[in-house]
Amino acid sequence: MNVKDSEHIIAELSDEYEITQNPENADLILLNTCSVREKPVQKLFSELGALNKKNPNAKFGVCGCTASHMGKEIIKRAPFVSFVLGARNVSRIKEALNTPKAVITDLDYDETTYVFKNTRKNPYKDFINIMVGCDKKCSYCIVPKTRGKELSIPMDLIIGQIEKLAAEGVKEITLLGQNVNNYGKRFSVSHPKVDFTDLLREVSKIDGIERIRFTSPHPLHADDRFLEEFANNPKICKHIHFPLQSGSTKLLKAMRRGYSKEWFLNRCEIIRQIPDVSITTDIIVGFPGESEEDFEETMDVLEKVRFEQIFSFVYSPRPLTEAADMPNQVDKQVAKERLYRLQKRHAEILDEIAKNQIGKIYKVLIEEPGMGKSDNFFTVKIPQKDKYLGEIVDVKITNANKHTLSGEVVK
Ligand code: SAH
Ligand code: SF4
């Protein structure tokens, strides 16, 4: 989502600025920030300091989630920063740029009907926001405080944009939101009743769009109708990012995730019936109150689901969140050691998964010379660097390591 926000900012400024890879030469330096964990926030100030040293004449702007929740504090700590622009105010970049010391962090701002100018790095695929904000109250998470309440983008605007992209040659679209399968819950304009499954069906009717991805769905809203559409719609790629967070029902409750370990496992059992499907996930280790037994429940889900990829992190207490004030914080060392065990076991599982890929034939969109992604989200290399670019080809896998498969084009 931050990558897409950055692309929107770049596009909005493209009539006045061009991109440079060289901060020394820049007239304007923008940092688009994350604040999900503490580390990126610390990095912001060290990065700002270093860039200001390199180029004291540039104009500096801080955008994104850290901008949202720190606001003018950023200018206090780094007075050379000219403006601060929150994650829910991306379309106001020019206003920020033209207002001295602007702090634009309005969490109620509605840009769901604003159609951004667009740029994309890759001619064959693009990402598209289908909603803003998040209405969940996950007790560890700062996102609702940086991106505000959840609003869906009107369906005709989404479809219109994707049709335009398809006409430009885009074949793969990824629908973006914090909670995609809650799409349609609330619009800021009057709108017929629709849900995420309806949206998936409409997107798949667009000629030229051959692959549909989405991230992230919430396990709580993964009802049977949605899973049936996922399984049976041939344009939907057979990869689902399905954020677990913890395998312990007790902790899931404290996290306010709204589902149990059993519900998560049951959903995964249904998903695993789809041939060659991939399930990836996010896991937080060391959430307040996590006992050794709770952690073992997470390890148990890892064994049962055998995720194709995990994004796992030690719990990071965030300002403005409920969990930051919980009394039973887990010792950092204990949490780090659990994370190590989790990642080590997952690396073993991944070795086995990789071996099982040999001999399979996957549909791969060749998006860079000699490389692409399979329908089920493996990175796949082919020997031809000068052929098949932008095509979806069948590749027979002949070699596999943890993160990359390689093979021969068979069709
Ligand atoms: N909306 C998505 C996640 C957005 S944040 C969802 O609900 O799945 C991306 C990931 O960051 C989360 O899935 C979670 O695993 C992680 N995360 C969020 N807050 C965190 C915190 N305080 N400490 C550690 N990881 C966190
Ligand atoms: Fe954060 Fe939960 Fe919303 Fe995801 S669903 S963004 S984890 S509050």
Side-chain angles (χ1 to χ4, degrees):
M1 197 164 264
N2 278 13
V3 169
K4 191 71 221 176
D5 289 346
S6 297
E7 286 183 4
H8 282 151
I9 290 173
I10 290 166
E12 293 291 314
L13 296 181
S14 60
D15 56 345
E16 288 182 56
Y17 291 91
E18 49 186 77
I19 295 281
T20 171
Q21 298 306 323
N22 199 345
E24 283 89 352
N25 298 341
D27 301 308
L28 173 67
I29 296 181
L30 297 177
L31 282 138
N32 193 15
T33 57
C34 177
S35 65
V36 146
R37 285 171 289 271
E38 197 186 354
K39 215 168 169 186
V41 179
Q42 294 166 346
K43 262 169 54 187
L44 166 66
F45 289 100
S46 56
E47 194 69 21
L48 273 173
L51 287 164
N52 186 44
K53 224 177 189 173
K54 272 191 195 161
N55 185 349
N57 299 321
K59 189 168 187 168
F60 280 84
V62 175
C63 313
C65 282
T66 302
S68 295
H69 80 92
M70 287 187 77
K72 59 178 188 296
E73 178 69 23
I74 294 176
I75 300 186
K76 251 197 211 150
R77 280 177 67 176
F80 57 87
V81 170
S82 295
F83 67 86
V84 171
L85 181 72
R88 205 187 170 92
N89 304 266
V90 177
S91 62
R92 298 168 75 180
I93 177 69
K94 285 223 165 159
E95 179 189 338
L97 200 58
N98 296 325
T99 315
K101 299 290 169 193
V103 176
I104 302 178
T105 55
D106 180 1
L107 273 192
D108 294 322
Y109 192 67
D110 176 16
E111 54 187 13
T112 55
T113 53
Y114 185 87
V115 178
F116 283 95
K117 290 184 191 154
N118 202 3
T119 54
R120 59 174 177 281
K121 288 209 179 74
N122 192 287
Y124 316 111
K125 62 172 191 180
D126 205 354
F127 297 82
I128 186 152
N129 292 330
I130 64 164
M131 65 215 309
V132 300
C134 180
D135 271 1
K136 293 274 178 271
K137 296 189 166 55
C138 301
S139 57
Y140 51 83
C141 183
I142 197 173
V143 171
K145 300 286 189 318
T146 65
R147 290 187 176 269
K149 77 171 182 197
E150 190 174 297
L151 281 176
S152 295
I153 294 175
M155 189 143 101
D156 55 350
L157 287 183
I158 298 172
I159 298 298
Q161 284 181 69
I162 300 177
E163 282 170 346
K164 208 168 138 236
L165 293 171
E168 291 169 13
V170 168
K171 291 187 173 169
E172 180 183 299
I173 203 84
T174 303
L175 308 174
L176 287 179
Q178 292 301 341
N179 211 344
V180 286
N181 50 348
N182 206 28
Y183 177 78
K185 184 180 148 200
R186 191 193 299 122
F187 294 92
S188 65
V189 293
S190 78
H191 198 284
K193 201 170 162 36
V194 288
D195 67 8
F196 186 55
T197 304
D198 298 326
L199 178 66
L200 286 171
R201 288 187 186 153
E202 285 308 307
V203 175
S204 62
K205 286 183 197 156
I206 300 175
D207 279 343
I209 295 300
E210 294 182 41
R211 313 223 279 188
I212 303 168
R213 301 186 186 277
F214 50 83
T215 197
S216 294
H218 195 298
L220 175 66
H221 302 299
D223 55 25
D224 292 347
R225 186 169 116 91
F226 161 65
L227 291 185
E228 266 166 43
E229 186 67 20
F230 175 67
N232 298 323
N233 185 328
K235 284 196 178 178
I236 300 179
C237 289
K238 298 305 175 249
H239 160 237
I240 189 164
H241 186 67
F242 212 48
L244 167 67
Q245 314 302 1
S246 168
S248 152
T249 298
K250 182 191 101 191
L251 281 198
L252 287 169
K253 218 174 190 162
M255 290 175 166
R256 298 196 188 280
R257 289 292 287 176
Y259 53 86
S260 62
K261 177 187 183 188
E262 287 66 36
W263 170 260
F264 187 90
L265 286 175
N266 167 270
R267 299 293 94 184
C268 289
E269 234 171 78
I270 294 172
I271 297 167
R272 279 288 185 216
Q273 289 167 11
I274 305 168
D276 292 328
V277 72
S278 286
I279 308 178
T280 60
T281 201
D282 293 345
I283 293 173
I284 298 176
V285 173
F287 181 81
E290 186 185 72
S291 64
E292 191 53 33
E293 291 73 39
D294 292 318
F295 175 67
E296 286 304 330
E297 301 271 11
T298 301
M299 292 294 274
D300 185 48
V301 176
L302 187 75
E303 294 301 332
K304 293 200 163 102
V305 181
R306 297 173 64 83
F307 300 102
E308 273 72 13
Q309 208 176 343
I310 62 170
F311 299 90
S312 52
F313 293 94
V314 165
Y315 163 72
S316 167
R318 306 304 296 122
L320 314 171
T321 63
E322 191 190 341
D325 297 325
M326 289 181 177
N328 43 2
Q329 303 285 323
V330 172
D331 180 80
K332 267 260 146 31
Q333 240 8 73
V334 172
K336 274 188 184 162
E337 185 269 337
R338 284 180 191 159
L339 183 71
Y340 174 78
R341 268 155 60 201
L342 177 82
Q343 293 181 340
K344 185 163 170 274
R345 178 62 194 128
H346 185 253
E348 292 164 7
I349 291 175
L350 208 52
D351 274 335
E352 293 162 18
I353 290 176
K355 266 190 220 122
N356 291 337
Q357 305 311 314
I358 292 176
K360 299 244 180 193
I361 296 177
Y362 285 142
K363 292 218 171 301
V364 178
L365 169 62
I366 306 298
E367 50 190 48
E368 286 169 46
M371 202 158 86
K373 284 261 187 228
S374 67
D375 176 280
N376 57 359
F377 212 54
F378 287 105
T379 300
V380 179
K381 286 188 174 164
I382 56 167
Q384 298 87 348
K385 295 244 185 298
D386 50 351
K387 253 173 107 176
Y388 306 119
L389 201 57
E391 289 178 39
I392 296 172
V393 290
D394 284 343
V395 178
K396 186 170 185 189
I397 306 304
T398 52
N399 239 306
N401 70 30
K402 271 191 195 62
H403 299 290
T404 315
L405 311 179
S406 48
E408 296 151 12
V409 177
V410 290
K411 206 172 77 189

